[in-house]
Amino acid sequence: MIDYHAHTNASHDGRPGWTLAKLAQWHERQGFQATYVTDHNVIYDRSLPVPEGTSISLLPGVEWSVYRQHVVAIGRVEALPRDSFGESTARMVRMFAVIEHQGGLSIASLPEYWRYHEEELGAFVRGGVDGFEIVNCAPKALGFPPDLRRQVVALAASHDLVVVGASDNHGWGQVTCVWNVSQPGAQGFHTNRVFARPLALVQGDRQAWTAPVTQPWFMLRSLTWAERASWLTWVVIILLYRALPRREGQAAGLGILARSLGRRSRKTPPPPSPTPVPNQNPT
């Protein structure tokens, strides 16, 4: 089980403090045995020490930002002059041959090739791209249209190119939406199988920017009525808990909610009437 695309805080948009160790721990919790580390324009070449206690393989890679496209380069990769691959698609696709010459593999990342090069994917193939992402967990990539995904899979199959899924984790998401099962020794299209959460695929029928709203809605629709009631009840409890003021030094916990509700349910007796003070002045 492998992830082909993930970031640490070495990327400009990585979560602060999202170290290599935390990235490895996150992947381990998601069931991965390995991940490529593909920071933006920062090569991970395994020169950094593997974090102590890491049980998964951290593999070398980088994500190059070039002309209207991000290219994930994995395996044996070296620095290259990115400026040489700007200004046009024709110049950008030359990068694929350079990566191959270095001994690496090049994968076109989502959502860029869908947004900017949908009509030029043939040029990617002729330029020597090794594969395409067909699922990417970044919110901006979840809107990848199902029809175009099928076209890309067919294109890859006809040219024996690999198709992959990518968590594209930057330290913000709690779970992945996709896994890859790779077959050691296999080549091309049959190298990898992609397994994605249905929620990640159904978003393709909606605009990508609606994901923060539609994803919870799709999840809610997939539950039974009993599960929905339980889920919403916990949401209300948590919101109430977070809204209640805390006294200084009082430990956090649901006990605060119980004590607060208990205090609110008891009626407070009215204060006693003041006792009249006898007149102390002598008559």
Side-chain angles (χ1 to χ4, degrees), residues 204-266:
D205 295 324
R206 305 290 191 278
Q207 293 293 326
W209 62 268
T210 65
V213 175
T214 55
Q215 285 291 295
W217 171 244
F218 291 145
M219 183 190 71
L220 197 62
R221 284 176 51 187
S222 68
L223 303 177
T224 65
W225 280 106
E227 290 170 332
R228 293 174 190 174
S230 175
W231 191 79
L232 292 174
T233 298
W234 277 108
V235 169
V236 171
I237 290 175
I238 292 171
L239 290 176
L240 287 173
Y241 165 71
R242 292 179 63 86
L244 288 172
R246 293 168 173 76
R247 293 180 178 177
E248 185 176 356
Q250 192 173 35
L254 290 178
I256 296 174
L257 177 61
R259 290 192 296 272
S260 299
L261 292 178
R263 285 197 299 269
R264 292 180 182 181
S265 63
R266 294 193 296 269

Side-chain angles (χ1 to χ4, degrees), residues 44-155:
Y44 174 69
D45 57 4
R46 287 180 161 176
S47 60
L48 296 176
V50 176
E52 186 177 353
T54 300
S55 62
I56 70 169
S57 298
L58 300 174
L59 306 175
V62 63
E63 183 177 15
W64 295 121
S65 302
V66 285
Y67 175 75
R68 307 183 81 180
Q69 181 61 47
H70 289 180
V71 177
V72 173
I74 57 176
R76 187 177 300 172
V77 292
E78 303 171 6
L80 47 75
R82 288 191 297 125
D83 293 344
S84 300
F85 308 105
E87 299 183 1
S88 69
T89 302
R91 295 186 64 179
M92 182 272 293
V93 297
R94 297 174 186 172
M95 172 180 278
F96 304 141
V98 174
I99 294 172
E100 181 181 9
H101 180 73
Q102 293 177 348
L105 298 177
S106 57
I107 299 173
S109 178
L110 284 170
E112 289 79 21
Y113 77 73
W114 150 47
R115 289 183 173 179
Y116 306 119
H117 304 286
E118 180 179 348
E119 304 299 327
E120 302 174 303
L121 296 184
F124 282 49
V125 175
R126 292 189 295 273
V129 72
D130 292 296
F132 294 91
E133 289 181 356
I134 57 170
V135 179
N136 184 302
C137 300
K140 62 183 180 180
L142 288 177
F144 189 41
D147 288 344
L148 182 54
R149 179 180 291 111
R150 286 190 286 269
Q151 293 175 26
V152 172
V153 170
L155 177 68

Side-chain angles (χ1 to χ4, degrees), residues 167-235:
S167 76
D168 201 2
N169 182 278
H170 286 66
W172 306 104
Q174 296 297 316
V175 296
T176 186
C177 75
V178 69
W179 295 262
N180 300 275
V181 176
S182 294
Q183 302 176 23
Q187 299 292 325
F189 186 73
H190 299 288
T191 299
N192 188 65
R193 294 187 65 187
V194 180
F195 295 86
R197 294 182 188 271
L199 283 176
L201 302 179
V202 73
Q203 184 65 39
D205 295 324
R206 305 290 191 278
Q207 293 293 326
W209 62 268
T210 65
V213 175
T214 55
Q215 285 291 295
W217 171 244
F218 291 145
M219 183 190 71
L220 197 62
R221 284 176 51 187
S222 68
L223 303 177
T224 65
W225 280 106
E227 290 170 332
R228 293 174 190 174
S230 175
W231 191 79
L232 292 174
T233 298
W234 277 108
V235 169

Side-chain angles (χ1 to χ4, degrees), residues 19-41:
T19 61
L20 195 62
K22 291 182 178 179
L23 181 71
Q25 292 166 5
W26 182 87
H27 278 86
E28 186 176 1
R29 290 195 301 270
Q30 304 306 309
F32 290 103
Q33 281 82 48
T35 182
Y36 287 96
V37 181
T38 55
D39 284 308
H40 291 294
N41 307 313

